[in-house]
Amino acid sequence: MRRLSWFNTTALTLGFAFLYLPMIILVIYSFNASKLVTVWAGFSTKWYGELLQNEAFLDAAWVTIRVAVVSSTFATILGTMAAYVLVRSGRFWGRTMFSGMIYAPLVMPEVITGLSLLLLFIGIGLDRGVLTIVLAHTTFSMCYVSVVVSSRLVSFDQSLEEAAQDLGCTPLESFFLVTLPIIAPAVLSGWLLAFTLSLDDLVIASFASGPSSTTLPIKIFSAVRLGVSPEINALSTIMIAIVTIGVVTASIVTKRNAVRQQRDEQMAERAGE
Amino acid sequence: MRRFALISVPYIWLLALFLVPFLIVIKISLSDTVISIPPYAPTLTFSEGWGGIVAFFKGLDFETFEFLMSDDLYWKAYLSSLKIASIATFMTLLVGYPIAYGMTRAAPEWRPTLLMLVILPFWTSFLIRVYAWMGILGQEGLVNQALLWLGLIDQPLVILNTPTAVYIGIVYTYLPFMILPIYSALEKLDDSLLEAAEDLGCSKLSAFWLVTWPLSRNGIIAGCFLVFIPTLGEFVIPSLLGGSQTLMIGKVLWEEFFSNRDWPVASAVAVILLLILIIPIVLFQRNEQKQREAEG
């Protein structure tokens, strides 16, 4: 066992303090009784109560969740199809352009993606609202999904699919019975990624939304532009809590699955001897 | 037939919602600003037949781009974005490298947890992470309170709404993008190489410079591009932390569109930003490909 040198210990301590202190401070100040965010005036949960009565925030949160669920589901379907095409379809006309269109949105500045989609929606006369935000989010998240899923598909043993088809499956059946269960973890993490991207997005949603459809990030942004507010601290704390619980649960589940898989493999090996 | 359907659905989706919108941006950047709805001319009308299409193409010109060249604001915004993005990328590297290095030196059973701690902020809302600094860096924020209490300063420093706050915001939000590629490069490093270097008479420091640093170069390059490319067009950080002092092109584009309602100028700003970005994007792709080939 190597021991950590003082340098590495300092680097890790300072590094993780830098990453986490701002968020911890935010959480602490959400329980501050004072309206002044910088002065501590005792513990209170009143900002959470006020938040729950703020209809504008609740409406925006509801719009955001609906948009995220729908767009991440479409993005997962389209992104998985795109990944399959990229990894399996070999050559076809316009392949380079296709893979270019998959990777370009990943590096495209959000302001440009937002602007271009808005100009399209206006050009075809589509009223801006929930639908346009869904279309915009689906488009950029499907590219992230396809990157995640295709990295799993590359290492997938194609002979399993061939075996299923030899045993009488149609290509579609072999996809749903053999391929999909195996790549399911990647598809699921693609969906989660798309969902979070949609929940977080401010810039593209601002371009794609109309007056009747405000998402939570748009609402938060216009509130914090005026300065720090304890209500936003409370809202941030709730969001940080949800994410933390989600990520910690996911990592525990993955770890448990990995342990189980290892045990299964060892048993299979022993059975083979 | 089935293969055709499989290819065409995502293909057509991306054509319609990625490529076509972008062509519209290029078209509008070549149009002139007019006061009407839509606020640019010419518009393509098929009802006038061939003559209309010819007139449409004759109406396009580079006037908007000439305007961008002649006005100081845009030049300065591009240059200042490039400067901020470069300096911030370098700062992120300085902060991120020791963390990534420390993580690979930690006990193996700790590494998954440390890795999760680096990834966790990435899942947390970007907007909230930027917002968290507004309370810390403000006039009465914790940084100023701490410095005043320690007696290091007599009156609060102005940090919020300056470029310094923007640098802090960028380093903070993009740090995981720098740590992860460097970590994965360093993790593959074979320890016996370091031992060999030390056996051959290298000091710890020169072993680091001669062995560890060059072998983590691909991770460093990848991390730098992953920070530099999105930072260049960043909007949220300069508008929440930068105040009016910080000029960045993403913010200029936003304001041209939403405040000035000048669509041709906003589109032209977008086209030039993308032309600038092509160089780092191509270099990044090449680096990734080289790495894949080296591994494959």
Side-chain angles (χ1 to χ4, degrees):
Chain A
M1 241 328 286
R2 256 185 332 225
R3 290 224 5 248
L4 273 177
S5 67
W6 65 267
F7 175 81
N8 292 327
T9 317
T10 325
L12 284 180
T13 317
L14 288 181
F16 283 103
F18 177 63
L19 273 176
Y20 281 92
L21 269 181
M23 283 193 269
I24 293 169
I25 291 168
L26 190 71
V27 171
I28 293 173
Y29 274 91
S30 77
F31 295 106
N32 187 0
S34 164
K35 173 88 189 164
L36 291 167
V37 264
T38 46
V39 184
W40 183 259
F43 182 87
S44 155
T45 52
K46 70 173 173 191
W47 304 116
Y48 290 86
E50 280 191 22
L51 191 65
L52 287 176
Q53 276 159 14
N54 189 331
E55 294 224 348
F57 273 118
L58 293 181
D59 285 347
W62 179 229
V63 171
T64 313
I65 291 170
R66 275 187 307 169
V67 166
V69 169
V70 177
S71 70
S72 58
T73 308
F74 278 125
T76 308
I77 297 168
L78 285 165
T80 309
M81 285 172 86
Y84 208 78
V85 169
L86 275 180
V87 177
R88 288 299 170 74
S89 276
R91 284 164 182 279
F92 58 89
W93 187 83
R95 191 184 196 286
T96 318
M97 191 159 89
F98 185 70
S99 65
M101 287 194 299
I102 291 284
Y103 290 108
L106 306 179
V107 287
M108 188 74 101
E110 286 173 319
V111 278
I112 299 184
T113 313
L115 175 70
S116 66
L117 281 165
L118 172 58
L119 294 177
L120 172 83
F121 295 145
I122 291 172
I124 58 174
L126 199 57
D127 275 340
R128 280 180 284 156
V130 173
L131 174 68
T132 48
I133 310 177
V134 168
L135 287 175
H137 282 182
T138 306
T139 307
F140 82 90
S141 344
M142 73 174 271
C143 303
Y144 285 89
V145 173
S146 85
V147 169
V148 172
V149 174
S150 65
S151 68
R152 179 69 189 89
L153 269 177
V154 169
S155 63
F156 174 79
D157 187 359
Q158 210 170 336
S159 57
L160 289 172
E161 243 173 56
E162 285 160 10
Q165 289 179 25
D166 283 347
L167 294 168
C169 274
T170 65
L172 209 62
E173 278 172 345
S174 77
F175 176 79
F176 281 107
L177 294 172
V178 177
T179 317
L180 195 57
I182 294 178
I183 62 168
V187 174
L188 183 66
S189 45
W191 187 89
L192 280 173
L193 185 61
F195 185 77
T196 344
L197 286 170
S198 171
L199 279 188
D200 266 8
D201 171 60
L202 164 74
V203 176
I204 294 171
S206 300
F207 279 99
S209 73
S212 62
S213 56
T214 308
T215 65
L216 203 50
I218 299 177
K219 199 86 203 147
I220 297 176
F221 183 69
S222 58
V224 303
R225 268 197 142 167
L226 305 172
V228 182
S229 98
E231 254 184 324
I232 300 288
N233 285 0
L235 181 62
S236 309
T237 304
I238 297 174
M239 289 166 74
I240 291 172
I242 294 172
V243 169
T244 311
I245 294 168
V247 171
V248 172
T249 317
S251 73
I252 291 171
V253 169
T254 345
K255 200 175 173 190
R256 204 172 280 169
N257 282 348
V259 170
R260 193 191 302 151
Q261 197 179 348
Q262 210 176 3
R263 204 178 47 210
D264 287 352
E265 275 167 17
Q266 279 170 356
M267 275 167 71
E269 249 171 61
R270 248 176 261 143
E273 274 164 12
Chain B
M1 189 55 218
R2 195 176 286 126
R3 177 166 177 264
F4 179 74
L6 179 67
I7 295 174
S8 59
V9 173
Y11 206 127
I12 291 170
W13 183 285
L14 286 172
L15 277 181
L17 285 147
F18 179 72
L19 201 65
V20 169
F22 194 64
L23 295 177
I24 297 176
V25 171
I26 295 178
K27 189 255 139 188
I28 291 179
S29 73
L30 299 171
S31 306
D32 299 327
T33 314
V34 291
I35 301 169
S36 70
I37 299 170
Y40 59 87
T43 45
L44 187 54
T45 41
F46 289 104
S47 53
E48 288 161 41
W50 183 244
I53 297 173
V54 173
F56 167 77
F57 277 104
K58 278 196 178 145
L60 299 178
D61 54 44
F62 288 95
E63 240 171 60
T64 319
F65 288 94
E66 280 160 24
F67 167 69
L68 287 195
M69 304 279 185
S70 63
D71 195 322
D72 274 3
L73 169 75
Y74 304 100
W75 270 117
K76 282 185 183 153
Y78 282 116
L79 287 178
S80 137
S81 296
L82 281 168
K83 188 184 122 198
I84 292 176
S86 317
I87 296 176
T89 304
F90 183 67
M91 286 162 62
T92 316
L93 175 64
L94 287 185
V95 177
Y97 198 96
I99 302 176
Y101 186 82
M103 283 166 66
T104 55
R105 303 279 110 181
E109 65 266 27
W110 272 99
R111 281 184 216 165
T113 312
L114 293 175
L115 208 54
M116 195 190 76
L117 284 174
V118 172
I119 296 170
L120 188 61
F122 170 81
W123 293 94
T124 322
S125 167
F126 188 85
L127 190 56
I128 288 176
R129 282 187 288 147
V130 177
Y131 165 69
W133 284 97
M134 289 178 70
I136 298 172
L137 298 176
Q139 285 274 319
E140 286 146 15
L142 283 178
V143 170
N144 274 321
Q145 283 183 23
L147 291 175
L148 283 170
W149 185 75
L150 287 171
L152 292 173
I153 50 171
D154 298 328
Q155 42 185 313
L157 298 172
V158 182
I159 311 174
L160 191 64
N161 298 334
T162 66
T164 314
V166 174
Y167 287 125
I168 295 174
I170 295 171
V171 173
Y172 181 69
T173 45
Y174 287 101
L175 195 57
F177 290 99
M178 183 65 84
I179 296 179
L180 293 174
I182 296 177
Y183 172 80
S184 74
L186 284 174
E187 205 194 14
K188 283 181 224 137
L189 189 81
D190 189 351
D191 274 343
S192 55
L193 289 174
L194 285 175
E195 281 160 24
E198 278 172 37
D199 285 348
L200 292 169
C202 271
S203 69
K204 273 213 154 58
L205 202 64
S206 57
F208 173 82
W209 275 116
L210 293 171
V211 179
T212 313
W213 180 263
L215 284 174
S216 56
R217 211 180 54 206
N218 274 333
I220 296 169
I221 294 173
C224 286
F225 279 125
L226 284 175
V227 175
F228 182 81
I229 293 170
T231 305
L232 201 60
E234 184 56 54
F235 166 75
V236 178
I237 299 174
S239 53
L240 287 185
L241 302 178
S244 52
Q245 276 187 43
T246 320
L247 199 55
M248 281 190 86
I249 200 66
K251 212 174 129 201
V252 170
L253 193 161
W254 178 286
E255 274 156 15
E256 283 300 339
F257 192 87
F258 285 111
S259 312
N260 299 350
R261 307 218 163 259
D262 194 332
W263 297 14
V265 168
S267 304
V269 166
V271 170
I272 295 183
L273 173 57
L274 208 64
L275 287 177
I276 296 174
L277 273 172
I278 284 177
I279 305 161
I281 289 172
V282 168
L283 289 175
F284 174 63
Q285 288 285 357
R286 245 190 229 163
N287 181 55
E288 292 287 286
Q289 204 160 3
K290 235 183 1 195
Q291 220 173 327
R292 263 198 301 266
E293 276 163 17
E295 281 164 15

